[in-house]
Amino acid sequence: MKKLPIVMDFDTGTDDAIAIICALMHRDCLDIKAITAVAGNVPLDATAANTLNIVDFLGHTDIPVARGAAAPLTRELKCAISHGKTGLGDVVVPTSTRAFCEKDAAEVIYDAAVECAGELVYLATGPQTNIALAIQRHPDIVNLIKKVYIMGGCLVGGNTTPATEFNAYVDPEALQVLFRSGLDVTMIGLDVTLRTAVPLWVKEAVSRVETPEAQLATKVIDFCLRRNKEWGYDEANLHDVVAFCSIVNPSVLTLKKYYVDVETEGTITRGMTVADFRDVCPDKEKNIWCAEDIDLGRFWSWFVDLFKNYERR
Ligand code: BDR
Ligand code: CA
């Protein structure tokens, strides 16, 4: 079977870290051209280091890792507090001594798109700054990427403001560039990813698997649960893992295409992803596939089985 060529972009981040671990266990079906990092949950130095450290700790030193944007397109960076100072809470991953790619993320994404001549899939689970820069520098990229999947935005609600999801809030201009680009984009939004509070049986099943992948994921989930308990709620959500899962196991999500744009000027709606549910803009082409529902049974089975069945080379 031909492997799916892919570039993935993360603001690593706890749930990003678990998405990376899941992706690295899929190399039998994914041709990972590069992994790129962007500022978001924590500053770029930390997201890039976390990304490279995880990739190398798990033995994938052949995958190029690139640093990307240190700040949003036009705004100051606003980080999250929920991932701790380093982005991985109290979880420590050995430091890699490998160098990052010489080119920055936007160039690495473009080069991979050119190399794959229309077949490349792109996943981003942080602010969309890197792909927006790639589009601005190389407008022809929109004809070279087959599909884009993002964790970001939401059809209803938010976690950073009442109207806005974190990744969309951090760099709304970048998300708008992506949504208006003509690329085939699937938005796995917060209203769906919030349903993935890790059940106890899942956490226990993964913790019993004695691989570095499962043990690292368990430590990250444990941190999220402890931190959230301190903050008065009892769950840890794997937002970014859902976005990755939708690539390798699309049947977990129900999608619907809408015309969606991003609010960049609102005062209480900065970064809001506004979907035309009722076709009130018939002249606007539907541009974004949006996740509307998730089959949680399938999602958790996929997640647990992945750790159980993964055989390291
Ligand atoms: C998103 O924000 C980040 O904190 C998570 O990593 C996820 O990508 C959820 O709103
Ligand atoms: Ca993220």
Side-chain angles (χ1 to χ4, degrees):
M1 197 185 66
K2 197 171 170 287
K3 294 185 184 185
L4 193 71
I6 190 166
V7 171
M8 293 174 285
D9 185 77
F10 300 99
D11 63 331
T12 321
T14 52
D15 55 330
D16 304 79
I18 300 176
I20 295 173
I21 297 169
C22 292
L24 294 174
M25 291 192 287
H26 271 88
R27 293 192 71 185
D28 55 333
C29 58
L30 296 181
D31 176 9
I32 304 177
K33 298 288 180 193
I35 297 184
T36 57
V38 67
N41 284 322
V42 284
L44 179 69
D45 282 346
T47 61
N50 291 340
T51 305
L52 182 64
N53 291 345
I54 292 168
V55 169
D56 284 9
F57 171 63
L58 295 177
H60 302 269
T61 50
D62 57 316
I63 299 178
V65 176
R67 289 167 58 95
L73 287 187
T74 60
R75 302 178 189 245
E76 247 179 58
L77 176 64
K78 297 213 173 168
C79 293
I81 48 169
S82 53
H83 303 256
K85 212 167 170 197
T86 68
L88 296 180
D90 55 9
V91 179
V92 178
V93 181
T95 306
S96 164
T97 52
R98 183 158 66 107
F100 291 102
C101 296
E102 273 175 25
K103 291 189 177 179
D104 77 354
E107 295 308 310
V108 167
I109 296 164
Y110 180 65
D111 287 353
V114 171
E115 181 198 326
C116 299
E119 291 304 311
L120 187 72
V121 166
Y122 175 77
L123 164 73
T125 67
Q128 297 302 320
T129 323
N130 288 337
I131 186 72
L133 285 170
I135 294 167
Q136 289 179 337
R137 288 186 206 161
H138 304 283
D140 60 317
I141 198 172
V142 302
N143 301 315
L144 295 172
I145 295 185
K146 189 172 189 181
K147 271 181 161 296
V148 173
Y149 295 81
I150 64 161
M151 190 285 132
C154 48
L155 289 175
V156 184
N159 59 355
T160 303
T161 75
T164 314
E165 180 279 331
F166 175 77
N167 294 330
Y169 178 85
V170 173
D171 199 346
E173 284 75 17
L175 190 59
Q176 190 177 70
V177 167
L178 175 64
F179 279 10
R180 292 182 177 184
S181 68
L183 277 163
D184 182 337
V185 178
T186 300
M187 171 177 116
I188 295 96
L190 180 79
D191 39 355
V192 168
T193 65
L194 270 178
R195 299 182 210 164
T196 58
V198 182
L200 191 60
W201 73 269
V202 169
K203 175 177 128 61
E204 289 180 347
V206 174
S207 73
R208 282 194 292 270
V209 179
E210 290 174 357
T211 59
E213 289 76 11
Q215 292 307 306
L216 181 56
T218 299
K219 283 186 194 162
V220 175
I221 293 170
D222 276 343
F223 162 76
C224 295
L225 287 168
R226 264 183 285 120
R227 174 207 60 202
N228 289 356
K229 209 167 201 149
E230 280 164 24
W231 290 0
Y233 53 105
D234 232 355
E235 54 182 49
N237 297 294
L238 300 188
H239 308 282
D240 297 342
V241 180
V242 182
F244 172 71
C245 177
S246 69
I247 298 173
V248 290
N249 196 357
S251 64
V252 296
L253 292 179
T254 308
L255 304 177
K256 191 165 177 189
K257 203 168 193 184
Y258 293 106
Y259 163 59
V260 188
D261 204 348
V262 184
E263 178 57 79
T264 57
E265 286 170 26
T267 50
I268 56 170
T269 52
R270 162 181 168 170
M272 182 177 180
T273 45
V274 181
D276 184 6
F277 296 115
R278 305 190 65 197
D279 281 330
V280 296
C281 303
D283 52 322
K284 298 282 190 187
E285 207 180 309
K286 295 181 172 50
N287 57 339
I288 308 292
W289 287 101
C290 300
E292 287 200 318
D293 201 3
I294 179 166
D295 182 333
L296 286 174
R298 273 195 189 172
F299 174 69
W300 291 122
S301 303
W302 164 81
F303 186 71
V304 169
D305 289 348
L306 178 58
F307 287 96
K308 281 189 180 166
N309 298 335
Y310 179 62
E311 281 180 32
R312 313 189 82 233
R313 284 160 303 159

